[in-house]
Amino acid sequence: MVSSKDVAKFAGVSQSTVSRVLNNPRLVDAKTFEKVTKAMKELNYRPNSIARSLVKQQTQSIALISGPLHNPFFVETTTSIVNYSKERGYNVNVHFENFGDNMAVYQDVLNQKVDGIILSSILYEDPIYEELIKSEVPFIMFNRKHKKNGHYVEMDNVQAGRIATEHLLSLNHRKIVWIGGPLSMTTFKGRFDGFKEVMLEKGIEVSDHNCKTTDTSKSDIKKVLQEVLAVKERPTAIFAATDSIAIYLIDLLIEKGYRVPDDISVIGVDNIALSQHNSFQLTTVGMEEEKDLGRIAIEHLIEIINEAPADFINKTYKNKLYNRSTTKKI
DNA sequence: TCCCCTTTCGTCTACGGACC
DNA sequence: GGTCCGTAGACGAAAGGGGA
């Protein structure tokens, strides 16, 4: 492999002059600059980024721990995180949350010596929080948060749960089932709490029969839906805790011969781009400003890496209803 | 076999010398 | 005094060498 030493020898200068040409060209005479760049071209020289990071104590790389890509929300956030990072000169190493055991993922990430971590995988009481703090690598949580605080950006999940439930109640639905992911994740917990609050305010009981959790995979959602539909008085509406779950549910309902919303209403949360698709027109709850949480989080992470703010960045965004075609008055 | 010390890799940069 | 360029040391991990 060609090094800056080889370039220096070829151009008849010192290695530090080659380094200057790359990093501080204004300190180099025009003729020397030309000689060195010509040598770089001739030898097809590419700077060694590992050696560079050794000196600079910065790797120009960020680790992203994303939720599963079967949820289009994470496709959108991953895309915007990767694109924005690239604009700012960072590479992104993408990892995926592993339901049940994230420790191996975290260990991988911490071994990589990245400049920052952006994650949507943390649980409310996750022990990894302490390890992340100890590692001194800046990190930000998006769409999730930890009980001990830290930097995070999220939508107001409780409010989102309230808006979705209030909408279904306003359409005269009373038999409403909430279907979401594990309540150890603040996203689902918040959306469930909002649901529960509004249901109790209306005097409607919330228990195992109208609150179902899944691992968010299509197969598990199918199993849960079968349980929901098997009861004598089936629900007239489903509050899916994410648009991804809502889209799976609609697909499964159609497969079983149900019409949405004529037989059963479905509402989601997140307002992902796919929810606006003409074949879905999914009624959903999303942020008031149609912003991407992933993008907001990566902007803040890069700010944290460069400026190390004294206080934690805690941003919670308000939501509104996006009333489309999958809910109906009964 | 184990432990400790040294060397190696490629790069950046503080410092200082040479030159005009 | 300003500009340009070279020297030397530092960075972290891994491999190598030598001694116990």
Side-chain angles (χ1 to χ4, degrees), chain A residues 10-245:
Chain A
F10 192 90
V13 296
S14 71
Q15 183 273 327
S16 59
T17 301
V18 176
S19 177
R20 259 183 229 111
V21 166
L22 288 169
N23 301 295
N24 259 318
R26 60 187 175 79
L27 299 179
V28 181
D29 180 72
K31 277 182 189 166
T32 310
F33 180 85
E34 202 177 319
K35 254 194 320 190
V36 173
T37 48
K38 199 177 163 194
M40 284 174 177
K41 264 190 189 165
E42 290 270 334
L43 299 176
N44 196 24
Y45 167 70
R46 296 265 183 283
N48 183 325
S49 59
I50 298 171
R52 183 175 274 175
S53 65
L54 189 63
V55 178
K56 289 203 153 190
Q57 296 287 297
Q58 277 197 337
T59 57
Q60 291 300 115
S61 57
I62 285 168
L64 161 64
I65 308 174
S66 169
L69 292 190
H70 65 245
N71 181 349
F73 171 81
F74 292 114
V75 176
E76 289 172 20
T77 52
T78 299
T79 304
S80 55
I81 288 166
V82 170
N83 288 343
Y84 183 74
S85 301
K86 196 167 184 164
E87 273 174 38
R88 298 293 306 270
Y90 289 90
N91 292 312
V92 180
N93 308 328
V94 183
H95 303 257
F96 295 105
E97 175 179 22
N98 181 16
F99 277 101
D101 180 22
N102 269 330
M103 282 316 282
V105 179
Y106 289 123
Q107 292 312 324
D108 259 7
V109 167
L110 289 172
N111 287 341
Q112 278 177 357
K113 307 290 176 210
V114 290
D115 294 346
I117 303 170
I118 177 165
L119 65 159
S120 69
S121 52
I122 204 158
L123 307 177
Y124 189 60
E125 296 187 348
D126 210 320
I128 195 63
Y129 181 88
E130 299 295 346
E131 220 170 309
L132 287 169
I133 292 285
K134 264 191 227 156
S135 77
E136 294 184 2
V137 179
F139 70 97
I140 189 165
M141 300 163 276
F142 77 100
N143 212 28
R144 298 267 180 90
K145 61 183 176 189
H146 191 270
K147 67 174 182 181
K148 290 198 173 167
N149 208 5
H151 300 288
Y152 68 79
V153 297
E154 59 164 7
M155 58 193 283
D156 187 335
N157 289 303
V158 176
Q159 187 219 16
R162 290 191 65 95
I163 292 173
T165 314
E166 279 163 359
H167 174 65
L168 294 174
L169 290 170
S170 75
L171 298 174
N172 297 328
H173 293 281
R174 293 297 178 270
K175 290 175 209 155
I176 305 168
V177 169
W178 182 92
I179 299 179
L183 297 182
S184 52
M185 299 173 184
T186 53
T187 321
F188 293 119
K189 175 78 165 53
R191 292 171 192 185
F192 173 71
D193 286 348
F195 165 74
K196 193 174 171 184
E197 277 175 20
V198 174
M199 293 288 273
L200 293 179
E201 281 164 21
K202 290 285 175 186
I204 305 170
E205 189 196 343
V206 174
S207 64
D208 288 352
H209 79 279
N210 60 356
C211 161
K212 306 283 181 187
T213 57
T214 81
D215 67 10
T216 76
S217 69
K218 193 171 181 179
S219 57
D220 203 40
I221 292 169
K222 189 174 185 176
K223 207 170 77 188
V224 166
L225 182 65
Q226 273 165 353
E227 281 173 31
V228 166
L229 296 175
V231 297
K232 203 173 177 185
E233 287 194 19
R234 69 159 176 82
T236 60
I238 297 176
F239 173 6
T242 67
D243 287 352
S244 168
I245 295 173

